[in-house]
Amino acid sequence: AKKSRRGSFVTFSTEMGSDIRERVRLLQSLRSAVESERLFIVYQPQVNLGRDGDVVGVEALIRWRNEDGTFVPPDRFIPLAEASGMIVAIGDWVLRMSCHELVRLQALGLPNLRMSVNVSQIQFRHPEFLDKLNAALIDTGINPKCLELEITESVAMEDADFMLETLHLVRELGISIAIDDFGTGYSSLSHLRQLPIDRLKIDRAFVSELNQQVSGGHIASMVVELGRNLNLTVIAEGIEDEAQAETLLRMGCHEGQGYLYAKPMVPLQLKEWLQARLA
Ligand code: C2E
Ligand code: CA
Ligand code: CA
Ligand code: CA
């Protein structure tokens, strides 16, 4: 876009200037949001796509509500939090909160419920990450088997040796690992095969394609096939209608999440939703 714009230098630099000002402003308000606890976490159920439709887990998703009641979407502030290093503290907080929440959720009668937590690459690469992970397990007493970290495909592929070692150490704690947004990056299959991971998560973009006649579903079915070959479970995100769920199930994808089942919910809402389903 930078290159294609005509007469562009002036336009570009003014735009860039205002973009920087906007980022600085956003970063300042993120800092104060953290301090005044205007960040919170919502949880979206993950279900078995088969007939029983059991809830198998929940994904923790961060939210930021401004003083005026408006929301700043994570896609906007996570990159900023990463660039400024704030993601380390924020991510650690999400991890702890989610582990504590898992204890309460499992007590509702779902002892095997899984908690999936998104982990940014900055956080994952931080030298204290494993210690913090361990501390969260010890402090909450959760079964590590019930904790899953979601890292993106691009993160998993960068700096192969370091990643491989860290992933092994995470796995040694008993925690499982899912590759998020799978299909959006450029994984080398030989590298993927070496990674100690448990699950592939089909990105929403490929799930929404399922309804289209032309290219619909090719990537989703490839991911399912890949999962089968590598012995990994596959979960689909962003399922919005029955047709998508049926197609995925037919392809051999057994788990999913999306608005068809539930939107991300605050703990009280989630608790009611779970209790209604268990009843
Ligand atoms: P993601 O991990 O790929 O999460 C899936 C996104 O899809 C979430 O957006 C979720 O609310 C949304 N979603 C779920 N089901 C549906 C559906 O049926 N239809 C549609 N249209 N959307 C659906 P959200 O919550 O805005 O999060 C956006 C991204 O922000 C996440 O993408 C993740 O990359 C990042 N993120 C969120 N929370 C955290 C966090 O605690 N730590 C880190 N590092 N990243 C986070
Ligand atoms: Ca995710
Ligand atoms: Ca995604
Ligand atoms: Ca993502």
Side-chain angles (χ1 to χ4, degrees), residues 106-208:
Q106 289 185 334
L108 298 174
L110 294 158
N112 300 316
L113 193 76
R114 189 170 74 214
M115 176 63 70
S116 297
V117 180
N118 292 286
V119 177
S120 141
Q121 78 153 314
I122 309 283
Q123 188 190 355
F124 198 82
R125 289 171 188 281
H126 193 272
E128 278 163 29
F129 180 63
L130 285 165
D131 289 342
K132 296 210 175 131
L133 205 48
N134 211 2
L137 291 178
I138 291 167
D139 293 352
T140 58
I142 61 165
N143 182 346
K145 278 205 188 79
C146 297
L147 179 61
E148 182 160 274
L149 306 183
E150 297 193 0
I151 58 172
T152 58
E153 185 181 359
S154 49
V155 173
M157 296 303 146
E158 269 168 41
D159 194 354
D161 292 343
F162 173 85
M163 280 310 291
L164 203 59
E165 192 185 323
T166 313
L167 289 173
H168 273 293
L169 291 169
V170 170
R171 275 290 225 51
E172 270 169 34
L173 292 174
I175 296 166
S176 58
I177 297 156
I179 304 294
D180 208 355
D181 299 345
F182 195 77
T184 61
Y186 304 89
S187 320
S188 107
L189 293 186
S190 57
H191 181 45
L192 184 70
R193 204 182 43 192
Q194 292 173 353
L195 294 178
I197 54 175
D198 304 272
R199 201 182 310 277
L200 299 177
K201 194 160 187 183
I202 305 176
D203 192 63
R204 193 169 83 215
F206 308 118
V207 172
S208 61

Side-chain angles (χ1 to χ4, degrees), residues 20 60 76 78 84 89 95 109 112 132 141 182 189 211 227 240 261 274 279:
I20 289 170
R76 257 186 87 206
I78 296 284
S84 64
L95 180 69
N112 300 316
K132 296 210 175 131
F182 195 77
L189 293 186
N211 295 350
E240 294 186 349
Y261 308 102
L274 286 170

Side-chain angles (χ1 to χ4, degrees), residues 29-30 45 47 55 59 70 82 85 107 117 127 132 137 167 187 194-195 201 219 221:
S29 44
L30 176 59
V47 306
V55 182
E59 178 179 5
T70 58
E82 286 174 333
V117 180
K132 296 210 175 131
L137 291 178
L167 289 173
S187 320
Q194 292 173 353
L195 294 178
K201 194 160 187 183
I219 297 193
S221 71

Side-chain angles (χ1 to χ4, degrees), residues 78 90 98 218 258:
I78 296 284
I90 293 174
S98 308
H218 287 159

